[in-house]
Amino acid sequence: MIEILEKPAAGPVIRLHNADNVVIARSNVEIGAKLGDGLTCRSQVPSGHKIAARAIKQGEPILKYNVTIGFAAADIAPGTFVHSHNMEFREFDRDYAYAQDYRPVQLLPESERATFMGIVRANGQIATRNYIGVLSTVNCSATVVHKIAEWFTPERLAEFPNVDGVVAFAHGTGCGMEMTGEPMDLLRRTMAGYALHANLAGALVVGLGCERNQVSKLFKEQGLEPSSRLRSFVMQDEGGTAKTIAAGVAAVKEMLPEANRVSRTRVPAGHIMVGLQCGGSDGFSSITANPALGAAMDILVRHGGTAILSETPEIYGVEHTLTRRARSREVGERLIARIRWWKDEYTVGRDTQINGVVSPGNQTGGLANIFEKSLGSSMKGGTGPLMEVYRYAEPVKQKGLVFMDTPGFDPVSATGQIAGGANVIMFTTGRGSMFGAKPVPSVKLATNTPMYNRLKDDMDINCGGILDGTATMQQMGQEIFELLLRVVSGEKTRSEVLGLGDHEFVPWNIGVTG
């Protein structure tokens, strides 16, 4: 298990583990700066980046948190700036030690578990928000679903104060794709996961009529039953664009009175299912926001809740830290099977993140390669046991820390988590990602104080206090958990205030377009 600092020591650089051969610049460091322990900086080093703490020979592993994040591409002198220019990305052996470190979660007694104010649906589902959704089966009906949703302006919804909005879920596929197999199965289970999501009081499904992803097939294969809260329209049967929009608007009008007849009641925190995301990361992500979010998830899991770790490319290189904590060998092997599919089939010969190079924003933020990004990304799940592994958009039934196979691209990853049942997204960022994901609230966690102060309109909480010395890791974890309880009880997040989330429904298109 990775040993996480409770509170970094003061000074110009941060040492994360005694065995590390690099330290992290707390702020911009100039040439000649004295860094402590007899170390003098030989380069200008940006905030959040790495500095050699001792001489590192060519080919020697670069260690951060005593975890290999790359190898020295040349001899590196003490005090030298260490980044992608003098680090080599290559494979290395990792011991998966399946279930070797598994320890069951020590759940709190039910009488001591937290609660929140949720919306209880007739079928027993617990909602954190109350929307009506309009879904397109194919890109050809995307305009129609947007027009239906756009008709319901805040003024027209004013008499339904308990309805959070009418939102369109359109996408760019549904035709010109494989008729059978995983690509179509994935799209349909994603759509079904949204149509049946607890946060939707009602849903319309709109198709064109001649597409491959037929409305009738979608309903049959996913076990969707038409009802007063789940209706469908086919444009070619309704008489075209204008008539379908009119029919859809009329259908939503019929749903609104019932959707508005809800109230929040106190329910156990075990009904909270968090989709964990990070994007626009920096060198502080693994020191502040990600492990702090992990600390909050450890608390949530003890209260009976669920945390969904995802972004398969962004655990690559540290996947052995998860397999060791798996509840069984079979669970660990399912995780490695997904990684091998990515490496051996899906991304062979492609310039993708899992094959080494991270985005320019991550590079600028201090992350040299995917191993280094994964080191921080994996911390969001906390320190508890890995209980299950799911394919993209599969319904999540297991409590505790689970993993869902998704890409690292945030809208695609979050779409899968929400389809699986996540009723809130918690999103860390060091660069300042702007994100929302209707129909669930999205909480944004900043890794450092300067970025938080610059982007306060978009950020919900500043984890930079850990770096600044004003908070410990556990204090920040508790603060995040308390914010989570308020948000799922109805407190609006910054992304909700700004209206983000209307265009972040992006099912994973893994198939051939033809």
Side-chain angles (χ1 to χ4, degrees), residues 188-404:
R188 286 176 175 163
R189 69 175 178 259
T190 302
M191 292 193 63
Y194 270 67
L196 299 176
H197 197 281
N199 283 13
L200 294 188
L204 309 182
V205 179
V206 182
L208 174 62
C210 55
E211 69 270 26
R212 293 197 159 199
N213 183 28
Q214 291 279 300
V215 171
S216 58
K217 287 273 193 177
L218 167 67
F219 272 60
K220 181 179 179 180
E221 291 187 7
Q222 294 299 319
L224 302 178
E225 295 291 338
S227 67
S228 60
R229 70 163 300 278
L230 180 58
R231 298 183 59 181
S232 65
F233 298 89
V234 177
M235 293 170 62
Q236 291 166 355
D237 295 341
E238 292 292 328
T241 300
K243 290 181 179 178
T244 307
I245 293 170
V249 168
V252 173
K253 285 181 177 179
E254 292 176 9
M255 290 178 174
L256 280 169
E258 181 63 27
N260 193 56
R261 282 193 285 271
V262 298
S263 60
R264 290 184 178 269
T265 57
R266 191 160 296 283
V267 295
H271 291 291
I272 300 172
M273 185 180 294
V274 180
L276 302 169
Q277 291 291 317
C278 64
S281 300
D282 67 358
F284 299 128
S285 294
S286 65
I287 302 173
T288 61
N290 285 352
L293 179 53
M297 292 304 96
D298 283 345
I299 297 171
L300 174 65
V301 167
R302 291 196 67 209
H303 285 265
T306 305
I308 309 174
L309 184 64
S310 298
E311 303 172 299
T312 308
E314 298 181 11
I315 64 157
Y316 181 62
V318 296
E319 70 274 12
H320 57 293
T321 66
L322 292 168
T323 58
R324 297 175 72 94
R325 291 150 49 197
R327 68 181 169 94
S328 68
R329 183 181 185 90
E330 290 73 23
V331 168
E333 287 178 340
R334 281 197 285 275
L335 179 64
I336 300 307
R338 299 316 304 156
I339 288 176
R340 286 176 177 157
W341 175 80
W342 273 83
K343 290 291 289 181
D344 299 342
E345 298 181 45
Y346 189 52
T347 66
V348 175
R350 303 297 180 91
D351 182 16
T352 59
Q353 190 167 240
I354 200 169
N355 291 325
V357 180
V358 292
S359 70
N362 290 328
Q363 285 267 344
T364 302
L367 303 178
N369 57 44
I370 191 57
F371 289 160
E372 188 172 11
K373 181 171 174 61
S374 293
L375 175 63
S377 181
S378 65
M379 293 177 178
K380 301 190 302 293
T383 61
L386 177 66
M387 299 301 293
E388 191 52 274
V389 174
Y390 292 92
R391 296 173 80 91
Y392 186 88
E394 285 184 335
V396 174
K397 304 296 185 183
Q398 176 67 54
K399 298 284 190 177
L401 172 63
V402 303
F403 186 85
M404 178 180 285

